[in-house]
């Protein structure tokens, strides 16, 4: 098939062609990072799913090897769906994944590397005693999937959870095992929540109370908080809470202030789904991968011959407030930085627009810190504005505000017929200032038939402290992955400009608020293309 490369990303993970969805079983083993993912080897739409497999030593340059797991036995003949890897004691990796059987029941299977001395772990063996967990005793076999990485309890028993639902209740059903092969369902789920619908791709892991260090999933010493995440099939968004793991009850309990439903915290307030984290024992950090789907039409995907990317690997850790996570692209990404332009200490007057020129900006990385010099003109924040996305939608990019909108126009055409905006607006409530971050692709393309949702989130920064707020955007042809407030808010969008392509893409900083804003420091780098699975 011919692949149309016009919108192909340069440094976001993807295979040379065809459909991809969820990242699966990411792991670090003997100096090599492995990423598996849901892949259709036959086309650019979902179907024929196998576990495609790539290896890397830096999570930036990738080499494709043969699919690791593909339908071949009754227990996975109708599909090899999502799952996770666990590194067993003695440094032995194992994969648990969901298979779809001849009755279209979802079952859980185990697979082992055939040859541990192959650094690429190319071949995986699926024992005939699979499935190791079947949907019995009232579990709905068409909603029972995506086993997590397992963790070892102080009682030397392994635990894992699988996503399911009971009527409209999302459930993380728990299983325990002494030998990793025989699993017994626990009487109580690890966690569940009313009204959310099916929980896909649950993830459950500890985080340190302080600092950026990651924690191994099985660690239980020291002061730890826990993160529980699910992907909601109903809304196609994910949400997470921070809480405690009550080992006496084997239950996860979200912290009091955490909103435990679809309007709770998100890793990414944009196009991001089915994410999975793993502990990188090499650099002692926790890494998060997420899938970003296309937002053009199915026919566009067929025509271009590919669909789906993974977001850049992000390190995750707990914010010192304990109320949310911080995410930041792994430091290895910076090795791709090429030509640089910078702007220092420049005032953006009300209505101001400055082009950042001198580099190719269709495959770039922009880091900027803004300083809001005065807040007197900040608009009043109406406490009924509880939905940041709606607020971004209503105000758009061009509605003049008091403080902001200020930010970036990326993938812009020279006449501004096209652009995707990433910006802040600062509001004043009786007790504090509220920072809103928006990513608005509604003008991203002159082409018709594209899905262009506006995304938004509140950024938990204290703007009054020094007036500063930072933004980082990873621009990659059809992907815009932005980090506001130093990783407090992430928003990813997919866009398909008709004109702002390649060297016709421009980058601007703007301020459409009444109050002046200063660019303290802006750096924009061209990004080099890593080895990407042979593409
Ligand atoms: C999430 C998901 C998983 C499932 C897989 C199938 O995107 O629906 O629940 O295992 O994709 O490809």
């Amino acid at each position: 098939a011919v692949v149309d490369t016009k919108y192909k990303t340069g440094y976001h993970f993807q295979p040379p062609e065809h459909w991809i969805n969820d990242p699966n079983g990411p792991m670090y083993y003997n100096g090599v990072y492995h990423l598996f993912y849901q892949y259709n080897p036959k086309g650019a739409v979902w179907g024929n799913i196998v576990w495609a497999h790539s290896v890397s030593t830096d999570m930036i340059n990738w080499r494709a090897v043969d699919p690791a797991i593909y339908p071949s036995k009754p227990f996975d003949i109708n599909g090899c769906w999502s799952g996770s890897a666990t590194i067993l004691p003695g440094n032995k990796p194992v994969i648990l994944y969901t298979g779809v059987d001849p009755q279209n029941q979802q079952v859980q299977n185990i697979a082992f590397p055939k040859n541990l001395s192959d650094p690429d772990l190319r071949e995986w063996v699926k024992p005939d005693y699979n499935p190791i967990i079947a949907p019995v005793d009232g579990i709905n076999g068409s909603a029972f999937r995506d086993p997590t990485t397992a963790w070892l309890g102080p009682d030397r028993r392994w635990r894992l959870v699988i996503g399911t639902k009971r009527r409209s209740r999302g459930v993380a059903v728990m299983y325990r095992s002494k030998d990793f092969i025989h699993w017994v369902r626990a009487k109580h789920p690890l966690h569940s929540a009313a009204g959310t619908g099916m929980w896909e791709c649950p993830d459950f892991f500890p985080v340190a109370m302080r600092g950026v260090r990651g924690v191994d999933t099985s660690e239980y010493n020291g002061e730890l908080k826990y993160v529980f995440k699910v992907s909601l099939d109903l809304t196609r968004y994910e949400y997470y809470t921070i809480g405690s793991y009550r080992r006496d009850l084997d239950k996860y309990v979200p912290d009091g202030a955490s909103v435990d439903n679809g309007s709770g915290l998100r890793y990414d307030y944009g196009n991001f789904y089915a994410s999975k984290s793993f502990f990188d024992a090499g650099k002692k950090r926790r890494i998060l991968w997420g899938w970003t789907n296309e937002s053009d039409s199915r026919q566009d995907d067929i025509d271009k011959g590919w669909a789906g990317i993974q977001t850049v690997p992000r390190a995750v850790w707990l914010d010192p407030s304990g109320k949310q996570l911080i995410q930041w692209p792994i430091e290895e990404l910076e090795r791709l930085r090429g030509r640089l332009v910078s702007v220092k200490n420049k005032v953006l007057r009300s209505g101001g627009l400055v082009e950042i020129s001198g580099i190719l900006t269709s495959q770039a990385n922009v880091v900027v810190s803004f300083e809001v010099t005065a807040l007197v003109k900040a608009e009043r924040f109406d406490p009924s504005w509880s939905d940041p996305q709606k607020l971004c939608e209503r105000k758009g990019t061009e509605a003049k505000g008091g403080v902001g909108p200020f930010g970036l126009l990326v993938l812009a055409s020279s006449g501004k017929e096209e652009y995707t905006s990433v910006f802040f607006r600062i509001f004043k409530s009786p007790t504090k200032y509220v920072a809103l971050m928006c990513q608005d692709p509604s003008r991203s393309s002159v082409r018709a038939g594209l899905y262009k949702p506006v995304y938004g989130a509140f950024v938990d920064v204290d703007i009054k402290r020094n007036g500063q707020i930072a933004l980082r955007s990873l621009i990659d042809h059809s992907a815009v992955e932005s980090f506001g407030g130093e990783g407090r808010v992430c928003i990813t969008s997919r866009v398909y400009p008709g004109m702002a392509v390649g060297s016709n893409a421009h980058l601007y900083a703007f301020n459409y608020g009444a109050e002046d804003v200063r660019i303290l420091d802006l750096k924009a780098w061209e990004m080099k293309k890593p080895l990407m699975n042979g593409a």
Side-chain angles (χ1 to χ4, degrees):
V2 183
V3 172
D4 183 343
T5 56
K6 183 171 172 192
Y7 298 120
K8 278 219 118 183
T9 53
Y11 56 93
H12 281 80
F13 182 97
Q14 58 177 182
E17 56 179 347
H18 300 325
W19 166 274
I20 80 170
N21 56 295
D22 315 1
N24 290 155
M27 65 175 176
Y28 175 81
Y29 176 69
N30 285 354
V32 179
Y33 294 99
H34 295 257
L35 182 65
F36 308 86
Y37 55 97
Q38 298 278 287
Y39 177 63
N40 180 354
K42 295 184 183 151
V45 296
W46 187 88
N48 315 304
I49 294 294
V50 304
W51 275 47
H53 183 192
S54 293
V55 292
S56 173
T57 52
D58 57 8
M59 286 189 272
I60 301 297
N61 292 280
W62 291 94
R63 181 161 52 84
V65 294
D66 285 345
I69 298 174
Y70 43 87
S72 68
K73 301 267 179 89
F75 52 77
D76 67 6
I77 200 67
N78 283 326
C80 294
W81 290 6
S82 287
S84 307
T86 303
I87 311 281
L88 300 181
N91 204 20
K92 294 204 170 71
V94 44
I95 283 172
L96 294 171
Y97 70 100
T98 298
V100 185
D101 77 6
Q103 286 75 44
N104 281 322
Q105 293 290 293
Q106 295 164 15
V107 300
Q108 318 310 323
N109 302 320
I110 194 163
F112 297 96
K114 187 169 183 181
N115 176 7
L116 280 179
S117 58
D118 169 14
D120 294 342
L121 300 177
R122 274 167 299 180
E123 287 184 81
W124 290 75
V125 179
K126 305 178 291 190
D128 283 324
Y129 56 71
N130 277 310
I132 53 163
I133 304 177
V136 293
D137 299 331
I139 286 184
N140 175 352
S142 53
F144 181 53
R145 55 184 180 271
D146 311 336
T148 60
T149 294
W151 66 97
L152 195 57
D155 59 1
R156 309 315 292 165
R157 265 175 236 232
W158 291 96
R159 282 129 172 102
L160 58 78
V161 298
I162 298 167
T164 185
K165 64 174 174 186
R166 244 180 6 241
R167 287 186 291 276
S168 65
R169 189 174 192 91
V171 178
V173 57
M174 183 160 63
Y175 291 79
R176 298 192 189 94
S177 175
K178 279 188 191 149
D179 61 3
F180 222 86
I181 292 168
H182 300 92
W183 292 86
V184 178
R185 182 172 159 195
K187 201 154 156 221
H188 301 290
L190 177 74
H191 190 46
S192 73
T196 62
M198 172 65 185
W199 281 0
E200 296 189 313
C201 301
D203 198 7
F204 181 60
F205 58 87
V207 284
M209 301 273 266
R210 269 165 286 277
V212 304
R213 184 184 69 91
V215 180
D216 194 343
T217 314
S218 283
E219 201 171 307
Y220 47 78
N221 294 314
E223 274 193 295
L224 301 174
K225 295 299 287 186
Y226 279 79
V227 176
F228 182 81
K229 181 279 299 187
V230 289
S231 307
L232 296 189
D233 194 24
L234 276 178
T235 61
R236 306 303 291 172
Y237 287 122
E238 303 193 315
Y239 80 92
Y240 73 89
T241 51
I242 311 250
S244 312
Y245 181 18
R246 289 281 307 268
R247 291 194 185 259
D248 51 337
L249 306 171
D250 234 344
K251 268 181 179 260
Y252 168 73
V253 183
D255 284 351
S258 275
V259 178
D260 192 15
N261 61 40
S263 54
L265 293 165
R266 294 190 204 157
Y267 290 153
D268 192 301
Y269 292 82
N271 179 339
F272 185 90
Y273 197 70
S275 70
K276 191 172 296 293
S277 74
F278 75 104
F279 175 65
D280 170 7
K283 289 200 171 179
K284 309 283 183 245
R285 53 189 174 172
R286 185 159 288 270
I287 304 290
L288 178 72
W289 284 101
W291 165 47
T292 292
N293 197 4
E294 302 304 302
S295 56
D296 56 359
S297 70
R298 181 185 159 95
Q299 190 58 47
D300 286 333
D301 292 348
I302 295 167
D303 293 345
K304 62 191 206 283
W306 66 276
I309 60 171
Q310 309 294 354
T311 50
V312 299
R314 304 172 181 172
V316 291
W317 65 90
L318 189 65
D319 182 73
S321 73
K323 288 192 288 194
Q324 66 161 99
L325 295 174
I326 304 287
Q327 299 168 70
W328 202 242
I330 56 166
E331 59 190 10
E332 288 88 337
L333 186 69
E334 289 163 28
R335 297 186 196 149
L336 296 178
R337 286 175 174 176
R339 282 206 298 157
L340 163 71
V341 287
S342 63
V343 175
K344 270 202 165 49
N345 212 13
K346 183 173 182 73
V347 175
L348 279 173
R349 302 235 171 269
S350 173
L353 182 72
V354 184
E355 177 158 12
I356 315 300
S357 55
I359 60 161
L360 256 177
T361 62
S362 47
Q363 188 175 305
N365 173 5
V366 192
V367 180
V368 51
S369 53
F370 293 102
E371 186 185 55
V372 179
T373 39
L375 288 161
V376 276
K377 293 181 187 146
E379 292 165 76
R380 286 233 154 273
F381 185 77
D382 178 338
S384 74
W385 294 343
S386 53
D387 183 337
Q389 180 164 336
K390 287 229 173 69
L391 191 52
C392 288
E393 259 162 36
R394 204 173 57 226
K395 299 233 167 210
T397 306
E398 309 214 329
K400 186 169 174 174
V403 181
F406 60 88
L408 303 171
L409 303 183
V410 309
L411 296 171
S413 60
S414 55
K416 252 77 86 239
E417 299 87 348
E418 293 184 331
Y419 60 79
T420 295
S421 54
V422 197
F423 58 88
F424 300 109
R425 287 176 184 270
I426 314 292
F427 299 93
K428 188 182 169 61
S429 85
T431 51
K432 58 172 196 235
Y433 290 92
V434 176
L436 177 73
M437 174 172 162
C438 305
Q439 186 153 290
D440 177 4
S442 55
R443 299 277 298 270
S444 59
S445 182
V446 292
R447 287 179 48 205
L450 303 170
Y451 177 54
K452 297 181 287 191
V454 176
Y455 295 122
F458 295 118
V459 196
D460 188 18
V461 290
D462 181 7
I463 192 84
K464 237 181 59 205
R465 196 168 59 90
N466 57 9
Q468 292 177 21
I469 189 161
L471 177 63
R472 177 174 183 187
S473 274
L474 305 175
I475 306 160
D476 200 0
H477 305 276
S478 63
V480 182
E481 186 175 349
S482 299
F483 299 78
E486 243 104 42
R488 285 180 178 80
V489 166
C490 307
I491 305 180
T492 302
S493 303
R494 301 300 308 281
V495 295
Y496 310 89
M499 306 151 83
V501 175
S503 55
N504 292 320
H506 299 259
L507 172 67
Y508 300 87
F510 76 96
N511 173 20
Y512 299 157
E515 205 82 78
D516 291 353
V517 168
R518 185 190 305 271
I519 297 177
L520 284 178
D521 191 12
L522 180 151
K523 290 191 169 68
W525 289 269
E526 254 177 59
M527 292 292 273
K528 293 176 232 163
K529 194 177 164 12
L531 299 176
M532 188 51 76
N533 294 314

